[in-house]
Amino acid sequence: MLMRTDPFRELDRLTQQFFQPAGTWTRPASIPMDAYRDGDQFVVHFDLPGVDPQAVELDVERNVLTVKVERRPEHKTDVQMQVSERPLGVFSRQLFLGDTLDTDHINASYANGVLTLTIPIAERAKPRKIEISAESEPRQITTS
């Protein structure tokens, strides 16, 4: 259902974590996710702790789903930071969805810092039985 096209994504994510902990609009950091199939639907969870749901951009163009968010500081600008370990900036993730998913009926919900997308499996991709018609009279096949 979900097509992976970049085998080095995890290496890229780790490199970004060490050398560029926060993303920018021109070079966003990656968003951690889980994805699985549950019956007739595909479920994707994105970890977005501390992100306002209004700051989440979710787009689908053709079979590419894009999630983009910006996490801004929650403190006043005139404070003196003692420890700053929570990443701020722009985060993005793109998923290449297979043709077997119904991208017209994606459901998105946000709770406890987790964005959950539920994507139904398209009807044309579900297994179905094909009825075989048979003639009532058996016929004999002759060869010459």
Side-chain angles (χ1 to χ4, degrees), residues 2 4 9-10 13 28-34 44 46 57-59 64-69 91-95:
L2 177 68
R4 291 193 106 159
R9 167 105 43 210
E10 187 66 19
R13 186 186 67 77
S30 184
I31 301 171
M33 68 165 219
D34 289 334
V44 186
F46 295 96
E57 292 180 23
L58 186 60
D59 297 311
V64 179
L65 175 97
T66 304
V67 179
K68 197 168 194 176
V69 301
F91 302 85
S92 178
R93 191 71 184 250
Q94 283 191 325
L95 300 178

Side-chain angles (χ1 to χ4, degrees), residues 67-139:
V67 179
K68 197 168 194 176
V69 301
E70 182 175 9
R71 184 180 309 143
R72 297 183 177 181
E74 295 179 2
H75 53 78
K76 299 176 186 174
T77 56
D78 59 344
V79 299
Q80 184 179 9
M81 290 297 292
Q82 300 299 311
V83 177
S84 180
E85 294 179 347
R86 296 172 53 207
L88 302 173
V90 179
F91 302 85
S92 178
R93 191 71 184 250
Q94 283 191 325
L95 300 178
F96 296 91
L97 305 176
D99 291 333
T100 59
L101 298 176
D102 186 358
T103 57
D104 292 332
H105 295 97
I106 296 175
N107 182 26
S109 62
Y110 186 78
N112 301 323
V114 178
L115 173 66
T116 300
L117 303 180
T118 305
I119 310 167
I121 306 296
E123 287 298 321
R124 67 182 179 277
K126 292 180 184 176
R128 60 189 180 279
K129 293 190 182 232
I130 300 172
E131 189 174 317
I132 300 172
S133 62
E135 296 179 16
S136 59
E137 293 285 326
R139 292 180 28 193

